[in-house]
Amino acid sequence: MSTAPALLVIAHGSRDPRHAATVHALTGRVRALRPGLRVETAFLDFNTPTVGQVLSSLYLSGVREVVALPLLLTRAFHAKSDIPAALAESTARLPGLSVRVADVLGPSALLLSALDRRLAEAGLTPADRATTAVVLASAGSTDPEAIAAIAETAREWRRTGWCAVRPAFASAALPRTQDAVRALRAEGFARVAVAPYVIAPGRLPDRIAAGAEAGGADVLAEVLGPAPELARLLLRRFDAAACAPARLSALTA
């Protein structure tokens, strides 16, 4: 029986095959950073394996300590409801299994660094910060806490040197990406970049890209994907949760 905790990364899932491929690339990078850590991946919807399937497999292999890490940038519905429910179902039928729930990924300075990396890969240089306005484009949510977290991330990122950073959303909240781009242009910013604040490709990230084109953005960055900063952040969240009291509880901000 293994006494070392395993890391279970829980992603949303998507019909788009790029989503699961990107998640697996990210967890592969985590394994490379810490070879002794057992890292597994589960999905809430559309993809397999499910949370219950992975926890059952871990349990049968002798694992009794698990850190469940939501692959989410904000603490919205999936973090507050879906993931705790899936974990509670498994712990109820697997006696002796202890699950600690890690915090969601945001907010974090590492996420800002990953966003900077993607904009640099899209062609922006450090010298461009003072003359480039950025749209921080997220998937969107109906949860006020999640919307507030995106707005705060935009404010924090602005403090690192970009001349303006505005939030936008692909669904459920306003403004849309194209409207945020047009608003910045109307304010007189000559260069406008769009930075998708999403982890993996899919329907909503595609909507962000379409909005960037419709609004006339000058630069469109890639999604965060398996950025090294993101892999380090997963390990940071794992380490914090692994040191916490062993209990299954709702996620904390």
Side-chain angles (χ1 to χ4, degrees):
M1 186 176 297
S2 173
T3 58
L7 170 58
L8 172 58
V9 178
I10 304 176
H12 180 273
S14 172
R15 292 185 178 91
D16 189 321
R18 296 174 298 167
H19 176 92
T22 301
V23 171
H24 288 306
L26 175 59
T27 54
R29 188 180 285 270
V30 173
R31 291 188 191 95
L33 286 175
R34 193 170 296 180
L37 175 63
R38 182 166 180 179
V39 182
E40 302 292 344
T41 307
F43 298 90
L44 291 174
D45 206 355
F46 303 117
N47 303 103
T48 56
T50 66
V51 172
Q53 288 170 337
V54 176
L55 287 176
S56 293
S57 177
L58 287 168
Y59 189 83
L60 289 173
S61 70
V63 173
R64 294 295 182 269
E65 298 279 345
V66 175
V67 170
L69 196 162
L71 197 62
L72 302 168
L73 297 173
T74 61
R75 188 173 175 266
F77 181 78
H78 295 302
K80 294 177 179 178
S81 180
D82 288 349
I83 290 176
L87 295 172
E89 184 276 330
S90 292
T91 55
R93 63 180 172 79
L94 299 172
L97 179 66
S98 173
V99 178
R100 296 175 174 90
V101 184
D103 286 341
V104 296
L105 299 180
S108 171
L110 285 170
L111 287 172
L112 301 184
S113 296
L115 288 164
D116 284 336
R117 172 185 293 275
R118 294 301 184 229
L119 283 175
E121 291 168 351
L124 295 181
T125 69
D128 293 324
R129 284 176 178 263
T131 56
T132 302
V134 182
V135 175
L136 180 71
S138 75
S141 174
T142 58
D143 190 305
E145 182 181 351
I147 298 301
I150 297 296
E152 179 58 27
T153 296
R155 286 190 290 270
E156 287 297 320
W157 200 21
R158 162 68 181 83
R159 295 186 185 108
T160 67
W162 298 102
C163 65
V165 179
R166 305 286 169 78
F169 308 92
S171 68
L174 296 174
R176 295 288 184 262
T177 303
Q178 58 268 36
D179 295 326
V181 171
R182 290 168 183 149
L184 287 167
R185 193 78 74 194
E187 291 176 33
F189 294 103
R191 185 192 293 116
V192 180
V194 172
Y197 192 53
V198 292
I199 293 171
R203 178 176 57 89
L204 294 179
D206 284 349
R207 191 177 295 176
I208 290 171
E213 182 178 2
D218 302 289
V219 176
L220 172 64
E222 294 291 333
V223 299
L224 296 172
E229 295 85 359
L230 210 59
R232 285 162 45 208
L233 178 55
L234 263 65
L235 287 173
R236 183 174 294 181
R237 293 288 186 258
F238 168 81
D239 289 338
C243 295
R247 69 183 189 277
L248 174 61
S249 62
L251 302 182
T252 55

